[in-house]
Amino acid sequence: MFEQKLYASWGDMDFNSHMRNMAFLDKSADVRMLFFSAHGFPMEEFMRRRLGPVVMKDEIEYHREIHLLEEIRVTLSLAGLSGDGSRFLMRNEFFRENEKLAAKVTSAGGWLELSSRRLIAPPEELLSALNLLSQTDDFIELPSSVA
């Protein structure tokens, strides 16, 4: 399972003194991009290929609060994928220092070809990297985005 240790920083906090909604989404995107970078697709490679991940929907489930400067463990797994890899569901789980689940973020997305601004199937190397992710218990096969 891919995971990263992060901290809840000052800018992540809301008025109620716990991690704000957008901070969960930002950290989820950071962990996704760290995964891609660690598996041959740093930002430079995406730019060279004129390709990028695009998220079309995020869903956050809250379980426990995360507070300022708390160390968190954020995992990344695959909750769904189309056969050609053109659509994905990625899930980040946020765990507090005591290993209690704090939140889940499920992001639905695909791959945008930056010149044509159209959804495409990813190159084989990127699809292979996606298939390295562990699958969630509720993993589903998605329909393709390309016709």
Side-chain angles (χ1 to χ4, degrees):
M1 173 165 305
F2 188 79
E3 64 180 56
Q4 294 289 303
K5 297 259 178 161
L6 304 173
Y7 287 89
S9 64
W10 180 263
D12 294 332
M13 297 297 109
D14 69 10
F15 181 78
N16 296 319
S17 300
H18 60 253
M19 205 157 99
R20 61 189 172 80
N21 302 27
M22 285 305 298
F24 284 99
L25 299 180
D26 289 342
K27 289 185 185 310
S28 293
D30 288 345
V31 171
R32 282 193 303 268
M33 295 311 291
L34 286 166
F35 170 80
F36 294 135
S37 183
H39 292 88
F41 277 82
M43 197 63 221
E44 297 82 15
E45 184 63 13
F46 280 116
M47 295 307 295
R48 186 182 75 75
R49 292 180 184 239
R50 304 285 303 144
L51 166 74
V54 59
V55 171
M56 294 171 262
K57 177 182 173 183
D58 286 307
E59 180 177 282
I60 307 174
E61 298 174 46
Y62 299 102
H63 297 272
R64 290 183 172 66
E65 294 180 333
I66 294 176
H67 299 286
L68 181 63
L69 298 182
E70 190 169 352
E71 183 180 80
I72 51 178
R73 183 170 63 89
V74 184
T75 64
L76 178 64
S77 53
L78 205 53
L81 189 66
S82 62
D84 62 3
S86 64
R87 290 183 61 198
F88 59 76
L89 285 175
M90 291 189 193
R91 179 158 309 136
N92 296 95
E93 292 184 319
F94 290 73
F95 294 91
R96 295 178 53 170
E97 292 173 289
N98 62 7
E99 287 303 309
K100 298 272 188 185
L101 178 66
K104 290 181 185 180
V105 174
T106 304
S107 302
W111 302 100
L112 186 67
E113 200 285 319
L114 298 176
S115 298
S116 68
R117 310 304 286 179
R118 297 204 184 279
L119 292 175
I120 62 168
E124 186 57 41
E125 305 92 336
L126 186 51
L127 181 56
S128 294
L130 282 172
N131 282 313
L132 293 174
L133 286 168
S134 60
Q135 293 183 355
T136 61
D137 291 339
D138 60 346
F139 178 88
I140 58 171
E141 186 162 334
L142 300 171
S144 174
S145 295
V146 288

